[in-house]
Each structure stands twice: as structure tokens, then as C-alpha cells.
Amino acid sequence: MPGHRPAPGGHRSARSGHRTEPAATGAGPAAAPRPGLLLLLLLCLAAAAAAQDRDLPEAGSCLQDGHRYSDKDVWKPEPCRICVCDTGTVLCDEIMCEELRDCPSPEIPFGECCPICPTEQPSGCNLFISLH
């Protein structure tokens, strides 16, 4: 058609006069990556990096009996034993109990190491109210 130019990248057919587009093969250096594919790839890389960070132990942490403790954590693996994580080293000591004097029937509370002297609980209500 005289005075009519085809759009860039396309041309008019000599036979029909209809506009045709170049074939998109998706190959070669002119093919641009798809944004959705790039996003998926970035998300996979970020997830892999996060999983690696979770698997790495914290610097200075300690491992005892399958439990990981942070530096300076304190725990009691047994009632009469206390442990601390000290820059990657587990340090444990036996708990020493004070001797109870003047206690006719000392008791050791459940989960504790040292005995206590139970206090006498008053029976009944010892409430005195003064009305003036």
C-alpha cells in the first residue's frame, strides 16, 4: 500500500497485503528470561540459604544429650546437678546442700535436690477481728 509503512519488526506480505510478525523462537541471544522464572529461582536460592543457616550451630553453643544450648545457658539435667554452657564447653557441678538443723522431718520437693524444712500450717481459721 502506498504511503503505508509496516510496524517495526513486522512487514506486509507482497501477496495479501496483511501484516506478518517475525517468528518468536525463544532461542538465541535475543531471547529474554521470563520474570516469573527468575522470581522462582531467587525464592529457591533464598530458601536453600535459610535452611543452611538453621543447620549451622550458633557460635559458642553447646550440645549435651541431644539438646543444643546457647552460650551462658544454665540447666539442670538431674535434680542434684547444674550445668552451664561456657563458650562451647559444658561445665557441670554437683549441687551441695546445706545441713538442716532443728528440723525434725526434712522433705525434698519433687524435682529438687536439697531438703527443706516444712513449716507448720495452722489448722482452722485463726482470724481475730476487733470491732469497736
Side-chain angles (χ1 to χ4, degrees):
M1 289 186 165
H4 205 260
R5 290 186 174 177
H11 64 278
R12 294 206 176 264
S13 169
R15 287 190 186 156
S16 66
H18 291 97
R19 184 169 175 258
T20 60
E21 296 294 326
T25 61
R34 296 172 46 196
L37 184 60
L38 284 177
L39 180 61
L40 179 62
L41 180 62
L42 288 173
L43 288 174
C44 288
L45 289 173
Q52 284 179 342
D53 288 344
R54 282 193 304 264
D55 294 340
L56 295 176
E58 180 183 327
S61 67
C62 300
L63 185 64
Q64 185 184 42
D65 299 328
H67 292 89
R68 182 155 304 276
Y69 298 94
S70 296
D71 188 33
K72 307 298 182 230
D73 276 357
V74 177
W75 67 97
K76 288 173 60 178
E78 302 168 5
C80 291
R81 191 167 172 83
I82 191 163
C83 298
V84 63
C85 177
D86 183 22
T87 319
T89 303
V90 176
L91 303 173
C92 295
D93 278 323
E94 296 297 318
I95 295 175
M96 304 299 289
C97 300
E98 293 181 29
E99 183 181 332
L100 293 179
R101 297 188 177 130
D102 300 322
C103 185
S105 55
E107 296 177 3
I108 299 176
F110 179 78
E112 295 297 321
C113 177
C114 299
I116 62 167
C117 192
T119 58
E120 293 287 327
Q121 295 293 328
S123 60
C125 181
N126 293 335
L127 182 61
F128 178 79
I129 300 176
S130 174
L131 298 174
H132 291 251

